[in-house]
PDB file of all heavy atoms in Angstrom:
ATOM      1  N   PRO A   1       2.838 -81.632  17.656  1.00 95.00           N
ATOM      2  CA  PRO A   1       4.312 -81.381  17.990  1.00 95.00           C
ATOM      3  C   PRO A   1       4.992 -82.697  18.409  1.00 95.00           C
ATOM      4  O   PRO A   1       6.268 -82.639  18.535  1.00 95.00           O
ATOM      5  CB  PRO A   1       4.123 -80.467  19.139  1.00 95.00           C
ATOM      6  CG  PRO A   1       2.774 -80.736  19.823  1.00 95.00           C
ATOM      7  CD  PRO A   1       1.897 -81.157  18.676  1.00 95.00           C
ATOM      8  N   ILE A   2       4.277 -83.718  18.532  1.00 95.00           N
ATOM      9  CA  ILE A   2       5.005 -84.875  19.168  1.00 95.00           C
ATOM     10  C   ILE A   2       4.817 -86.200  18.224  1.00 95.00           C
ATOM     11  O   ILE A   2       5.812 -86.849  17.916  1.00 95.00           O
ATOM     12  CB  ILE A   2       4.177 -85.289  20.484  1.00 95.00           C
ATOM     13  CG1 ILE A   2       4.258 -84.171  21.444  1.00 95.00           C
ATOM     14  CG2 ILE A   2       4.908 -86.628  21.052  1.00 95.00           C
ATOM     15  CD1 ILE A   2       3.611 -84.322  22.674  1.00 95.00           C
ATOM     16  N   ASP A   3       3.696 -86.518  17.711  1.00 97.00           N
ATOM     17  CA  ASP A   3       3.539 -87.754  16.849  1.00 97.00           C
ATOM     18  C   ASP A   3       3.502 -87.491  15.498  1.00 97.00           C
ATOM     19  O   ASP A   3       3.357 -86.348  15.027  1.00 97.00           O
ATOM     20  CB  ASP A   3       2.044 -88.353  17.233  1.00 97.00           C
ATOM     21  CG  ASP A   3       1.999 -88.825  18.720  1.00 97.00           C
ATOM     22  OD1 ASP A   3       2.899 -89.600  19.089  1.00 97.00           O
ATOM     23  OD2 ASP A   3       1.137 -88.350  19.489  1.00 97.00           O
ATOM     24  N   PRO A   4       3.874 -88.456  14.685  1.00 96.00           N
ATOM     25  CA  PRO A   4       4.121 -88.356  13.295  1.00 96.00           C
ATOM     26  C   PRO A   4       2.904 -88.089  12.489  1.00 96.00           C
ATOM     27  O   PRO A   4       2.980 -87.743  11.320  1.00 96.00           O
ATOM     28  CB  PRO A   4       4.953 -89.512  12.830  1.00 96.00           C
ATOM     29  CG  PRO A   4       4.564 -90.607  13.900  1.00 96.00           C
ATOM     30  CD  PRO A   4       4.302 -89.811  15.164  1.00 96.00           C
ATOM     31  N   VAL A   5       1.818 -88.431  13.035  1.00 97.00           N
ATOM     32  CA  VAL A   5       0.515 -88.309  12.192  1.00 97.00           C
ATOM     33  C   VAL A   5      -0.466 -87.535  13.064  1.00 97.00           C
ATOM     34  O   VAL A   5      -0.573 -87.609  14.244  1.00 97.00           O
ATOM     35  CB  VAL A   5      -0.126 -89.668  11.891  1.00 97.00           C
ATOM     36  CG1 VAL A   5      -1.510 -89.516  11.282  1.00 97.00           C
ATOM     37  CG2 VAL A   5       0.813 -90.457  11.037  1.00 97.00           C
ATOM     38  N   ALA A   6      -1.165 -86.449  12.384  1.00 98.00           N
ATOM     39  CA  ALA A   6      -2.068 -85.622  13.250  1.00 98.00           C
ATOM     40  C   ALA A   6      -3.507 -86.064  13.027  1.00 98.00           C
ATOM     41  O   ALA A   6      -3.870 -86.802  12.010  1.00 98.00           O
ATOM     42  CB  ALA A   6      -1.816 -84.251  12.660  1.00 98.00           C
ATOM     43  N   GLY A   7      -4.331 -85.675  13.917  1.00 98.00           N
ATOM     44  CA  GLY A   7      -5.764 -86.002  13.946  1.00 98.00           C
ATOM     45  C   GLY A   7      -6.289 -86.677  15.038  1.00 98.00           C
ATOM     46  O   GLY A   7      -5.687 -86.567  16.178  1.00 98.00           O
ATOM     47  N   HIS A   8      -7.356 -87.339  14.963  1.00 98.00           N
ATOM     48  CA  HIS A   8      -7.975 -88.143  16.125  1.00 98.00           C
ATOM     49  C   HIS A   8      -8.647 -89.302  15.681  1.00 98.00           C
ATOM     50  O   HIS A   8      -8.921 -89.583  14.573  1.00 98.00           O
ATOM     51  CB  HIS A   8      -9.002 -87.125  16.915  1.00 98.00           C
ATOM     52  CG  HIS A   8     -10.066 -86.720  16.147  1.00 98.00           C
ATOM     53  ND1 HIS A   8     -10.121 -85.504  15.400  1.00 98.00           N
ATOM     54  CD2 HIS A   8     -11.369 -87.227  15.846  1.00 98.00           C
ATOM     55  CE1 HIS A   8     -11.231 -85.268  14.808  1.00 98.00           C
ATOM     56  NE2 HIS A   8     -12.042 -86.344  15.003  1.00 98.00           N
ATOM     57  N   ILE A   9      -9.098 -90.137  16.619  1.00 98.00           N
ATOM     58  CA  ILE A   9      -9.842 -91.418  16.334  1.00 98.00           C
ATOM     59  C   ILE A   9     -11.249 -90.871  15.852  1.00 98.00           C
ATOM     60  O   ILE A   9     -11.928 -90.109  16.626  1.00 98.00           O
ATOM     61  CB  ILE A   9      -9.868 -92.331  17.523  1.00 98.00           C
ATOM     62  CG1 ILE A   9      -8.409 -92.727  17.760  1.00 98.00           C
ATOM     63  CG2 ILE A   9     -10.719 -93.513  17.201  1.00 98.00           C
ATOM     64  CD1 ILE A   9      -8.263 -93.471  19.177  1.00 98.00           C
ATOM     65  N   PRO A  10     -11.827 -91.553  14.713  1.00 97.00           N
ATOM     66  CA  PRO A  10     -13.165 -91.070  14.475  1.00 97.00           C
ATOM     67  C   PRO A  10     -14.209 -91.306  15.388  1.00 97.00           C
ATOM     68  O   PRO A  10     -14.223 -92.247  16.144  1.00 97.00           O
ATOM     69  CB  PRO A  10     -13.403 -92.050  13.212  1.00 97.00           C
ATOM     70  CG  PRO A  10     -12.122 -92.282  12.695  1.00 97.00           C
ATOM     71  CD  PRO A  10     -11.137 -92.463  13.867  1.00 97.00           C
ATOM     72  N   GLY A  11     -15.093 -90.227  15.629  1.00 95.00           N
ATOM     73  CA  GLY A  11     -16.138 -90.366  16.546  1.00 95.00           C
ATOM     74  C   GLY A  11     -15.750 -89.814  17.968  1.00 95.00           C
ATOM     75  O   GLY A  11     -16.710 -89.594  18.722  1.00 95.00           O
ATOM     76  N   ALA A  12     -14.466 -89.472  18.164  1.00 96.00           N
ATOM     77  CA  ALA A  12     -14.024 -89.045  19.426  1.00 96.00           C
ATOM     78  C   ALA A  12     -14.690 -87.592  19.734  1.00 96.00           C
ATOM     79  O   ALA A  12     -14.884 -86.845  18.803  1.00 96.00           O
ATOM     80  CB  ALA A  12     -12.655 -89.018  19.638  1.00 96.00           C
ATOM     81  N   ARG A  13     -14.656 -87.281  20.988  1.00 96.00           N
ATOM     82  CA  ARG A  13     -15.053 -85.906  21.344  1.00 96.00           C
ATOM     83  C   ARG A  13     -13.779 -85.389  22.127  1.00 96.00           C
ATOM     84  O   ARG A  13     -13.091 -85.998  22.811  1.00 96.00           O
ATOM     85  CB  ARG A  13     -16.133 -85.984  22.458  1.00 96.00           C
ATOM     86  CG  ARG A  13     -17.331 -86.682  21.970  1.00 96.00           C
ATOM     87  CD  ARG A  13     -18.298 -85.757  21.185  1.00 96.00           C
ATOM     88  NE  ARG A  13     -18.854 -84.637  21.696  1.00 96.00           N
ATOM     89  CZ  ARG A  13     -19.856 -84.675  22.623  1.00 96.00           C
ATOM     90  NH1 ARG A  13     -20.618 -85.781  22.874  1.00 96.00           N
ATOM     91  NH2 ARG A  13     -20.217 -83.533  23.331  1.00 96.00           N
ATOM     92  N   CYS A  14     -13.486 -84.077  21.845  1.00 97.00           N
ATOM     93  CA  CYS A  14     -12.428 -83.385  22.404  1.00 97.00           C
ATOM     94  C   CYS A  14     -12.711 -82.950  23.912  1.00 97.00           C
ATOM     95  O   CYS A  14     -13.565 -82.052  23.991  1.00 97.00           O
ATOM     96  CB  CYS A  14     -11.986 -82.224  21.557  1.00 97.00           C
ATOM     97  SG  CYS A  14     -10.406 -81.359  22.199  1.00 97.00           S
ATOM     98  N   VAL A  15     -12.037 -83.433  24.831  1.00 97.00           N
ATOM     99  CA  VAL A  15     -12.427 -83.121  26.188  1.00 97.00           C
ATOM    100  C   VAL A  15     -10.875 -82.846  26.853  1.00 97.00           C
ATOM    101  O   VAL A  15     -10.380 -83.654  27.619  1.00 97.00           O
ATOM    102  CB  VAL A  15     -13.083 -84.263  26.947  1.00 97.00           C
ATOM    103  CG1 VAL A  15     -13.381 -83.849  28.369  1.00 97.00           C
ATOM    104  CG2 VAL A  15     -14.260 -84.631  26.178  1.00 97.00           C
ATOM    105  N   PRO A  16     -10.332 -81.693  26.623  1.00 98.00           N
ATOM    106  CA  PRO A  16      -9.020 -81.409  27.091  1.00 98.00           C
ATOM    107  C   PRO A  16      -8.828 -81.543  28.511  1.00 98.00           C
ATOM    108  O   PRO A  16      -9.649 -81.052  29.491  1.00 98.00           O
ATOM    109  CB  PRO A  16      -8.754 -79.942  26.735  1.00 98.00           C
ATOM    110  CG  PRO A  16      -9.676 -79.626  25.523  1.00 98.00           C
ATOM    111  CD  PRO A  16     -10.954 -80.496  25.822  1.00 98.00           C
ATOM    112  N   PHE A  17      -7.843 -82.295  29.067  1.00 98.00           N
ATOM    113  CA  PHE A  17      -7.774 -82.515  30.508  1.00 98.00           C
ATOM    114  C   PHE A  17      -7.525 -81.235  31.365  1.00 98.00           C
ATOM    115  O   PHE A  17      -7.856 -81.025  32.511  1.00 98.00           O
ATOM    116  CB  PHE A  17      -6.543 -83.576  30.761  1.00 98.00           C
ATOM    117  CG  PHE A  17      -5.212 -82.949  30.750  1.00 98.00           C
ATOM    118  CD1 PHE A  17      -4.570 -82.503  31.908  1.00 98.00           C
ATOM    119  CD2 PHE A  17      -4.572 -82.765  29.509  1.00 98.00           C
ATOM    120  CE1 PHE A  17      -3.400 -81.883  32.004  1.00 98.00           C
ATOM    121  CE2 PHE A  17      -3.270 -82.097  29.667  1.00 98.00           C
ATOM    122  CZ  PHE A  17      -2.737 -81.719  30.870  1.00 98.00           C
ATOM    123  N   SER A  18      -6.862 -80.326  30.663  1.00 98.00           N
ATOM    124  CA  SER A  18      -6.590 -79.058  31.359  1.00 98.00           C
ATOM    125  C   SER A  18      -7.815 -78.275  31.817  1.00 98.00           C
ATOM    126  O   SER A  18      -7.829 -77.357  32.840  1.00 98.00           O
ATOM    127  CB  SER A  18      -5.790 -78.067  30.449  1.00 98.00           C
ATOM    128  OG  SER A  18      -6.510 -77.786  29.289  1.00 98.00           O
ATOM    129  N   GLU A  19      -9.032 -78.658  31.236  1.00 98.00           N
ATOM    130  CA  GLU A  19     -10.251 -77.896  31.604  1.00 98.00           C
ATOM    131  C   GLU A  19     -10.848 -78.543  32.817  1.00 98.00           C
ATOM    132  O   GLU A  19     -11.931 -78.186  33.240  1.00 98.00           O
ATOM    133  CB  GLU A  19     -11.199 -77.939  30.400  1.00 98.00           C
ATOM    134  CG  GLU A  19     -10.629 -77.032  29.258  1.00 98.00           C
ATOM    135  CD  GLU A  19     -11.486 -76.971  28.027  1.00 98.00           C
ATOM    136  OE1 GLU A  19     -12.668 -77.387  28.108  1.00 98.00           O
ATOM    137  OE2 GLU A  19     -11.136 -76.546  26.963  1.00 98.00           O
ATOM    138  N   ASN A  20     -10.172 -79.632  33.320  1.00 98.00           N
ATOM    139  CA  ASN A  20     -10.607 -80.099  34.563  1.00 98.00           C
ATOM    140  C   ASN A  20     -10.099 -79.316  35.812  1.00 98.00           C
ATOM    141  O   ASN A  20     -10.487 -79.459  36.985  1.00 98.00           O
ATOM    142  CB  ASN A  20     -10.142 -81.595  34.815  1.00 98.00           C
ATOM    143  CG  ASN A  20     -10.619 -82.485  33.847  1.00 98.00           C
ATOM    144  OD1 ASN A  20     -11.887 -82.380  33.400  1.00 98.00           O
ATOM    145  ND2 ASN A  20      -9.820 -83.454  33.473  1.00 98.00           N
ATOM    146  N   LEU A  21      -9.302 -78.272  35.520  1.00 98.00           N
ATOM    147  CA  LEU A  21      -8.623 -77.422  36.452  1.00 98.00           C
ATOM    148  C   LEU A  21      -9.073 -75.907  36.391  1.00 98.00           C
ATOM    149  O   LEU A  21      -9.635 -75.529  35.432  1.00 98.00           O
ATOM    150  CB  LEU A  21      -7.144 -77.345  36.258  1.00 98.00           C
ATOM    151  CG  LEU A  21      -6.495 -78.792  36.208  1.00 98.00           C
ATOM    152  CD1 LEU A  21      -5.039 -78.718  35.750  1.00 98.00           C
ATOM    153  CD2 LEU A  21      -6.590 -79.436  37.622  1.00 98.00           C
ATOM    154  N   ASP A  22      -9.022 -75.235  37.439  1.00 98.00           N
ATOM    155  CA  ASP A  22      -9.397 -73.837  37.595  1.00 98.00           C
ATOM    156  C   ASP A  22      -8.042 -73.038  37.143  1.00 98.00           C
ATOM    157  O   ASP A  22      -7.082 -73.622  36.847  1.00 98.00           O
ATOM    158  CB  ASP A  22      -9.985 -73.380  38.875  1.00 98.00           C
ATOM    159  CG  ASP A  22      -9.011 -73.494  40.044  1.00 98.00           C
ATOM    160  OD1 ASP A  22      -7.719 -73.574  39.903  1.00 98.00           O
ATOM    161  OD2 ASP A  22      -9.469 -73.612  41.227  1.00 98.00           O
ATOM    162  N   ALA A  23      -8.086 -71.782  37.275  1.00 96.00           N
ATOM    163  CA  ALA A  23      -6.985 -70.900  36.811  1.00 96.00           C
ATOM    164  C   ALA A  23      -5.867 -71.022  37.615  1.00 96.00           C
ATOM    165  O   ALA A  23      -4.704 -70.627  37.379  1.00 96.00           O
ATOM    166  CB  ALA A  23      -7.461 -69.351  36.751  1.00 96.00           C
ATOM    167  N   THR A  24      -5.959 -71.541  38.911  1.00 95.00           N
ATOM    168  CA  THR A  24      -4.935 -71.652  39.849  1.00 95.00           C
ATOM    169  C   THR A  24      -4.298 -73.120  39.816  1.00 95.00           C
ATOM    170  O   THR A  24      -3.327 -73.343  40.404  1.00 95.00           O
ATOM    171  CB  THR A  24      -5.343 -71.513  41.310  1.00 95.00           C
ATOM    172  OG1 THR A  24      -6.226 -72.559  41.770  1.00 95.00           O
ATOM    173  CG2 THR A  24      -6.160 -70.150  41.301  1.00 95.00           C
ATOM    174  N   GLY A  25      -4.705 -73.870  38.944  1.00 96.00           N
ATOM    175  CA  GLY A  25      -4.172 -75.326  38.736  1.00 96.00           C
ATOM    176  C   GLY A  25      -4.825 -76.284  39.703  1.00 96.00           C
ATOM    177  O   GLY A  25      -4.442 -77.432  39.805  1.00 96.00           O
ATOM    178  N   HIS A  26      -5.915 -75.908  40.357  1.00 98.00           N
ATOM    179  CA  HIS A  26      -6.563 -76.895  41.334  1.00 98.00           C
ATOM    180  C   HIS A  26      -7.787 -77.538  40.563  1.00 98.00           C
ATOM    181  O   HIS A  26      -8.288 -76.854  39.625  1.00 98.00           O
ATOM    182  CB  HIS A  26      -7.142 -76.091  42.558  1.00 98.00           C
ATOM    183  CG  HIS A  26      -6.017 -75.684  43.466  1.00 98.00           C
ATOM    184  ND1 HIS A  26      -5.273 -74.548  43.219  1.00 98.00           N
ATOM    185  CD2 HIS A  26      -5.481 -76.169  44.657  1.00 98.00           C
ATOM    186  CE1 HIS A  26      -4.414 -74.466  44.187  1.00 98.00           C
ATOM    187  NE2 HIS A  26      -4.606 -75.575  45.170  1.00 98.00           N
ATOM    188  N   PHE A  27      -8.169 -78.654  40.947  1.00 98.00           N
ATOM    189  CA  PHE A  27      -9.325 -79.345  40.297  1.00 98.00           C
ATOM    190  C   PHE A  27     -10.625 -78.586  40.646  1.00 98.00           C
ATOM    191  O   PHE A  27     -10.735 -78.009  41.593  1.00 98.00           O
ATOM    192  CB  PHE A  27      -9.445 -80.727  40.929  1.00 98.00           C
ATOM    193  CG  PHE A  27      -8.498 -81.807  40.275  1.00 98.00           C
ATOM    194  CD1 PHE A  27      -7.212 -81.940  40.770  1.00 98.00           C
ATOM    195  CD2 PHE A  27      -8.918 -82.531  39.091  1.00 98.00           C
ATOM    196  CE1 PHE A  27      -6.382 -82.865  40.217  1.00 98.00           C
ATOM    197  CE2 PHE A  27      -8.033 -83.428  38.568  1.00 98.00           C
ATOM    198  CZ  PHE A  27      -6.840 -83.548  39.082  1.00 98.00           C
ATOM    199  N   LEU A  28     -11.345 -78.458  39.576  1.00 98.00           N
ATOM    200  CA  LEU A  28     -12.707 -77.883  39.660  1.00 98.00           C
ATOM    201  C   LEU A  28     -13.573 -78.632  40.783  1.00 98.00           C
ATOM    202  O   LEU A  28     -13.351 -79.808  41.039  1.00 98.00           O
ATOM    203  CB  LEU A  28     -13.541 -77.892  38.394  1.00 98.00           C
ATOM    204  CG  LEU A  28     -12.899 -77.129  37.269  1.00 98.00           C
ATOM    205  CD1 LEU A  28     -13.765 -77.404  35.962  1.00 98.00           C
ATOM    206  CD2 LEU A  28     -12.946 -75.661  37.583  1.00 98.00           C
ATOM    207  N   PRO A  29     -14.476 -77.974  41.422  1.00 98.00           N
ATOM    208  CA  PRO A  29     -15.356 -78.565  42.391  1.00 98.00           C
ATOM    209  C   PRO A  29     -16.141 -79.748  41.664  1.00 98.00           C
ATOM    210  O   PRO A  29     -16.375 -79.692  40.389  1.00 98.00           O
ATOM    211  CB  PRO A  29     -16.352 -77.531  42.780  1.00 98.00           C
ATOM    212  CG  PRO A  29     -15.623 -76.200  42.688  1.00 98.00           C
ATOM    213  CD  PRO A  29     -14.868 -76.549  41.372  1.00 98.00           C
ATOM    214  N   SER A  30     -16.483 -80.845  42.417  1.00 97.00           N
ATOM    215  CA  SER A  30     -16.999 -82.050  41.867  1.00 97.00           C
ATOM    216  C   SER A  30     -18.286 -81.663  41.156  1.00 97.00           C
ATOM    217  O   SER A  30     -18.675 -82.337  40.047  1.00 97.00           O
ATOM    218  CB  SER A  30     -17.370 -83.034  42.862  1.00 97.00           C
ATOM    219  OG  SER A  30     -18.233 -82.556  43.856  1.00 97.00           O
ATOM    220  N   ASP A  31     -19.188 -80.738  41.528  1.00 97.00           N
ATOM    221  CA  ASP A  31     -20.364 -80.364  40.813  1.00 97.00           C
ATOM    222  C   ASP A  31     -20.078 -79.783  39.491  1.00 97.00           C
ATOM    223  O   ASP A  31     -20.789 -80.036  38.463  1.00 97.00           O
ATOM    224  CB  ASP A  31     -21.184 -79.466  41.591  1.00 97.00           C
ATOM    225  CG  ASP A  31     -20.723 -78.225  42.015  1.00 97.00           C
ATOM    226  OD1 ASP A  31     -19.412 -78.021  41.988  1.00 97.00           O
ATOM    227  OD2 ASP A  31     -21.447 -77.272  42.363  1.00 97.00           O
ATOM    228  N   GLN A  32     -19.100 -78.941  39.238  1.00 97.00           N
ATOM    229  CA  GLN A  32     -18.748 -78.480  38.037  1.00 97.00           C
ATOM    230  C   GLN A  32     -18.142 -79.489  37.138  1.00 97.00           C
ATOM    231  O   GLN A  32     -18.507 -79.514  35.893  1.00 97.00           O
ATOM    232  CB  GLN A  32     -17.600 -77.305  38.214  1.00 97.00           C
ATOM    233  CG  GLN A  32     -18.216 -76.115  38.902  1.00 97.00           C
ATOM    234  CD  GLN A  32     -17.240 -74.851  39.038  1.00 97.00           C
ATOM    235  OE1 GLN A  32     -16.366 -74.776  38.063  1.00 97.00           O
ATOM    236  NE2 GLN A  32     -17.310 -74.211  40.227  1.00 97.00           N
ATOM    237  N   LEU A  33     -17.348 -80.431  37.679  1.00 97.00           N
ATOM    238  CA  LEU A  33     -16.909 -81.572  36.819  1.00 97.00           C
ATOM    239  C   LEU A  33     -18.049 -82.306  36.320  1.00 97.00           C
ATOM    240  O   LEU A  33     -18.081 -82.749  35.203  1.00 97.00           O
ATOM    241  CB  LEU A  33     -15.898 -82.353  37.581  1.00 97.00           C
ATOM    242  CG  LEU A  33     -14.579 -81.759  37.939  1.00 97.00           C
ATOM    243  CD1 LEU A  33     -13.709 -82.642  38.899  1.00 97.00           C
ATOM    244  CD2 LEU A  33     -13.733 -81.550  36.596  1.00 97.00           C
ATOM    245  N   ARG A  34     -19.024 -82.608  37.214  1.00 96.00           N
ATOM    246  CA  ARG A  34     -20.130 -83.398  36.817  1.00 96.00           C
ATOM    247  C   ARG A  34     -20.956 -82.713  35.660  1.00 96.00           C
ATOM    248  O   ARG A  34     -21.319 -83.409  34.707  1.00 96.00           O
ATOM    249  CB  ARG A  34     -21.106 -83.545  38.025  1.00 96.00           C
ATOM    250  CG  ARG A  34     -22.392 -84.358  37.799  1.00 96.00           C
ATOM    251  CD  ARG A  34     -21.994 -85.836  37.987  1.00 96.00           C
ATOM    252  NE  ARG A  34     -23.063 -86.664  37.365  1.00 96.00           N
ATOM    253  CZ  ARG A  34     -23.083 -88.023  37.754  1.00 96.00           C
ATOM    254  NH1 ARG A  34     -22.133 -88.588  38.365  1.00 96.00           N
ATOM    255  NH2 ARG A  34     -24.059 -88.785  37.197  1.00 96.00           N
ATOM    256  N   SER A  35     -21.082 -81.476  35.728  1.00 95.00           N
ATOM    257  CA  SER A  35     -21.841 -80.776  34.615  1.00 95.00           C
ATOM    258  C   SER A  35     -21.023 -80.870  33.391  1.00 95.00           C
ATOM    259  O   SER A  35     -21.581 -81.037  32.274  1.00 95.00           O
ATOM    260  CB  SER A  35     -21.923 -79.227  35.022  1.00 95.00           C
ATOM    261  OG  SER A  35     -22.798 -79.120  36.214  1.00 95.00           O
ATOM    262  N   ARG A  36     -19.706 -80.850  33.493  1.00 95.00           N
ATOM    263  CA  ARG A  36     -18.833 -80.930  32.236  1.00 95.00           C
ATOM    264  C   ARG A  36     -19.009 -82.269  31.556  1.00 95.00           C
ATOM    265  O   ARG A  36     -19.233 -82.377  30.441  1.00 95.00           O
ATOM    266  CB  ARG A  36     -17.382 -80.643  32.679  1.00 95.00           C
ATOM    267  CG  ARG A  36     -16.471 -80.855  31.476  1.00 95.00           C
ATOM    268  CD  ARG A  36     -14.986 -80.591  31.790  1.00 95.00           C
ATOM    269  NE  ARG A  36     -14.177 -80.427  30.557  1.00 95.00           N
ATOM    270  CZ  ARG A  36     -13.000 -80.881  30.176  1.00 95.00           C
ATOM    271  NH1 ARG A  36     -12.423 -81.550  31.128  1.00 95.00           N
ATOM    272  NH2 ARG A  36     -12.459 -80.556  29.010  1.00 95.00           N
ATOM    273  N   PHE A  37     -18.944 -83.262  32.419  1.00 94.00           N
ATOM    274  CA  PHE A  37     -19.018 -84.709  31.842  1.00 94.00           C
ATOM    275  C   PHE A  37     -20.412 -85.114  31.371  1.00 94.00           C
ATOM    276  O   PHE A  37     -20.736 -85.822  30.569  1.00 94.00           O
ATOM    277  CB  PHE A  37     -18.489 -85.665  32.636  1.00 94.00           C
ATOM    278  CG  PHE A  37     -16.917 -85.405  32.766  1.00 94.00           C
ATOM    279  CD1 PHE A  37     -16.354 -85.111  34.032  1.00 94.00           C
ATOM    280  CD2 PHE A  37     -16.166 -85.594  31.634  1.00 94.00           C
ATOM    281  CE1 PHE A  37     -14.982 -84.905  34.124  1.00 94.00           C
ATOM    282  CE2 PHE A  37     -14.790 -85.396  31.676  1.00 94.00           C
ATOM    283  CZ  PHE A  37     -14.204 -85.048  32.932  1.00 94.00           C
ATOM    284  N   ASP A  38     -21.468 -84.553  32.221  1.00 92.00           N
ATOM    285  CA  ASP A  38     -22.940 -84.851  31.900  1.00 92.00           C
ATOM    286  C   ASP A  38     -23.191 -84.333  30.460  1.00 92.00           C
ATOM    287  O   ASP A  38     -23.997 -85.020  29.844  1.00 92.00           O
ATOM    288  CB  ASP A  38     -23.802 -84.208  32.837  1.00 92.00           C
ATOM    289  CG  ASP A  38     -23.976 -84.793  34.207  1.00 92.00           C
ATOM    290  OD1 ASP A  38     -23.590 -86.056  34.216  1.00 92.00           O
ATOM    291  OD2 ASP A  38     -24.527 -84.219  35.142  1.00 92.00           O
ATOM    292  N   ARG A  39     -22.642 -83.288  30.042  1.00 89.00           N
ATOM    293  CA  ARG A  39     -23.008 -82.760  28.729  1.00 89.00           C
ATOM    294  C   ARG A  39     -22.508 -83.767  27.607  1.00 89.00           C
ATOM    295  O   ARG A  39     -22.953 -83.679  26.459  1.00 89.00           O
ATOM    296  CB  ARG A  39     -22.393 -81.410  28.517  1.00 89.00           C
ATOM    297  CG  ARG A  39     -23.037 -80.256  29.372  1.00 89.00           C
ATOM    298  CD  ARG A  39     -22.701 -78.916  28.817  1.00 89.00           C
ATOM    299  NE  ARG A  39     -21.214 -78.683  29.074  1.00 89.00           N
ATOM    300  CZ  ARG A  39     -20.618 -78.113  30.225  1.00 89.00           C
ATOM    301  NH1 ARG A  39     -21.503 -77.823  31.188  1.00 89.00           N
ATOM    302  NH2 ARG A  39     -19.418 -77.922  30.392  1.00 89.00           N
ATOM    303  N   LEU A  40     -21.373 -84.468  27.905  1.00 85.00           N
ATOM    304  CA  LEU A  40     -20.797 -85.385  27.017  1.00 85.00           C
ATOM    305  C   LEU A  40     -21.754 -86.592  26.773  1.00 85.00           C
ATOM    306  O   LEU A  40     -21.980 -87.308  25.758  1.00 85.00           O
ATOM    307  CB  LEU A  40     -19.433 -85.874  27.323  1.00 85.00           C
ATOM    308  CG  LEU A  40     -18.308 -84.900  27.425  1.00 85.00           C
ATOM    309  CD1 LEU A  40     -17.080 -85.362  28.142  1.00 85.00           C
ATOM    310  CD2 LEU A  40     -18.055 -84.377  26.021  1.00 85.00           C
ATOM    311  N   LEU A  41     -22.337 -86.958  27.889  1.00 81.00           N
ATOM    312  CA  LEU A  41     -23.111 -88.464  27.850  1.00 81.00           C
ATOM    313  C   LEU A  41     -24.551 -88.208  27.393  1.00 81.00           C
ATOM    314  O   LEU A  41     -25.005 -89.293  26.806  1.00 81.00           O
ATOM    315  CB  LEU A  41     -22.981 -88.938  29.251  1.00 81.00           C
ATOM    316  CG  LEU A  41     -21.590 -89.600  29.643  1.00 81.00           C
ATOM    317  CD1 LEU A  41     -21.649 -89.880  31.048  1.00 81.00           C
ATOM    318  CD2 LEU A  41     -21.355 -90.884  28.782  1.00 81.00           C
ATOM    319  N   THR A  42     -25.125 -87.179  27.725  1.00 77.00           N
ATOM    320  CA  THR A  42     -26.663 -86.972  27.304  1.00 77.00           C
ATOM    321  C   THR A  42     -27.303 -88.153  27.707  1.00 77.00           C
ATOM    322  O   THR A  42     -27.600 -88.412  28.926  1.00 77.00           O
ATOM    323  CB  THR A  42     -26.735 -86.468  25.923  1.00 77.00           C
ATOM    324  OG1 THR A  42     -26.203 -87.591  25.000  1.00 77.00           O
ATOM    325  CG2 THR A  42     -26.010 -85.197  25.565  1.00 77.00           C
ATOM    326  N   ASP A  43     -27.809 -88.956  26.806  1.00 72.00           N
ATOM    327  CA  ASP A  43     -28.622 -90.205  27.047  1.00 72.00           C
ATOM    328  C   ASP A  43     -27.791 -91.481  27.141  1.00 72.00           C
ATOM    329  O   ASP A  43     -28.341 -92.526  27.314  1.00 72.00           O
ATOM    330  CB  ASP A  43     -29.778 -90.285  26.031  1.00 72.00           C
ATOM    331  CG  ASP A  43     -30.762 -89.189  26.035  1.00 72.00           C
ATOM    332  OD1 ASP A  43     -31.039 -88.542  27.112  1.00 72.00           O
ATOM    333  OD2 ASP A  43     -31.180 -88.672  24.868  1.00 72.00           O
ATOM    334  N   GLN A  44     -26.533 -91.307  27.229  1.00 77.00           N
ATOM    335  CA  GLN A  44     -25.694 -92.561  27.080  1.00 77.00           C
ATOM    336  C   GLN A  44     -25.295 -92.903  28.452  1.00 77.00           C
ATOM    337  O   GLN A  44     -24.952 -92.098  29.353  1.00 77.00           O
ATOM    338  CB  GLN A  44     -24.394 -92.367  26.407  1.00 77.00           C
ATOM    339  CG  GLN A  44     -24.593 -92.104  24.789  1.00 77.00           C
ATOM    340  CD  GLN A  44     -24.551 -93.486  24.091  1.00 77.00           C
ATOM    341  OE1 GLN A  44     -25.397 -94.200  24.331  1.00 77.00           O
ATOM    342  NE2 GLN A  44     -23.757 -93.506  23.073  1.00 77.00           N
TER     343      GLN A  44
END
């Protein structure tokens, strides 16, 4: 809806910022955020 070209940078992972929040709009507890990002890094 915003930029003239659609898509993403090759190799990127989709990590929507909205999923850092709970249903009330507050940030998730740090341990839940840690689990979210740990899954992205694996052995990196």
Side-chain angles (χ1 to χ4, degrees):
I2 303 174
D3 293 309
V5 178
H8 61 267
I9 299 174
R13 306 278 297 276
C14 184
V15 186
F17 83 95
S18 59
E19 295 179 15
N20 297 322
L21 306 171
D22 64 18
T24 68
H26 292 77
F27 281 85
L28 295 173
S30 58
D31 58 339
Q32 292 184 33
L33 290 170
R34 183 82 192 194
S35 295
R36 182 182 193 216
F37 293 115
D38 277 348
R39 290 193 295 270
L40 294 170
L41 285 166
T42 57
D43 296 327
Q44 294 274 53

